[in-house]
Amino acid sequence: MSYGNQRLIVSPTLVIVPAPASGATQNAFAVFDYLKKAFAYYPCETLHWMTYFRELHTFKEARRAHPHCPYETLCAEIDDLVDAGFLITEEEYNGPLYGAYRQKWKWDLTTALFHFTVTDNDFHSEQDASEIVAEKVAAVPQPPLAWPNPSPTVMLPPLPQSLNEPLYSTIISRRTNRTSTGHQITAQQLSKCLFSGLGITGEVETPSGWLPLGVTPSGGARNPFEAYVIIRRSSEISPGIYHYSAVEHSLGRVDQDLPERLNHLFANQEWVDDMSVIVVLTAIFERTMWKYEDPNAYRVVLIEAGHIAQNIMLAATDQGLSACPTAALSHTGLRDLFGLEEMTHVPLYALTLDKPMPYPDKVRAGKATHQVNMET
């Protein structure tokens, strides 16, 4: 009973639901703290303590309020809930984790439940993932990955045979090519990629003030993304970790050493360590929270990461580079690397930049582009 005379309260990030009505979980309920990702089943009687400790109470107060409960039982049940993290002390409730959550998180329970549940999860290795897919292919038919139209159809005008217009040529040439030639990326190449994804071209006057106009659309012009740039090889920029300021179009050195290897921050994907540059798109949630309390705004922020990443990928392709996206991140590890302290500043998406070797996979052209050499 390490909490002594401290006041206890139920964690503010608990979700309690009925457990499956079978086997060992019959007549039980499930408790999940989505901020700590702690989970357990409890008998229904324990639900009483979740109700009682919705307000702050000491153990002595709980004992006085429950004179008919045997002392040993009361000690065991409360100790178990404290050890599991479902009951917390007043100090922890107001501390850096739960205090920050209550002060900073402005979206609703459902959004918080999704966000924190998928943060810092473990990932399969590439070999394990391949084996799982192979087993699934053998056991369960895949759903169709593209839908043809039933007849009759309205055929659109054919695409140009060569698709040599700059825009279409770039679009059709884009590949996720996770190989590296050891290229020393130039400042100009990096400049074009960062500006294409995050560049600010001006400002627009609105009732809430002057808002940035970016090269990609942003819900409510809230501009919720910053980029952190990890440079391993460049012909003109020293290796290190940088913040990209879109409003200045500049790189600012982050006061952190560059680790020798980084793949542990990207689900142990070893190809990441071969790349010249890694761009990490980091959401600053309060920018969007300030205007939109509707949790749909969380979804909009995620969509915006896709807008930015696609522009970066096309800018890279146009310069003979490959930009490889990944959402397999160690969110907390990257926050620590970049020196981010706020709970609402979250790395969400990353892209590597490098000049690739020839595309390694076998490709065949689709019907719409059958005239084009898909391996270029």
Side-chain angles (χ1 to χ4, degrees), residues 224-225 281 300-310 348-349 351:
F225 279 94
L281 302 181
V300 171
V301 173
L302 302 186
I303 290 170
E304 289 182 30
H307 297 326
I308 295 168
Q310 182 66 12
L348 288 182
Y349 203 17
L351 303 101

Side-chain angles (χ1 to χ4, degrees), residues 152-163:
T153 59
V154 177
M155 296 303 296
L156 295 170
L159 298 169
Q161 285 195 0
S162 64
L163 286 182

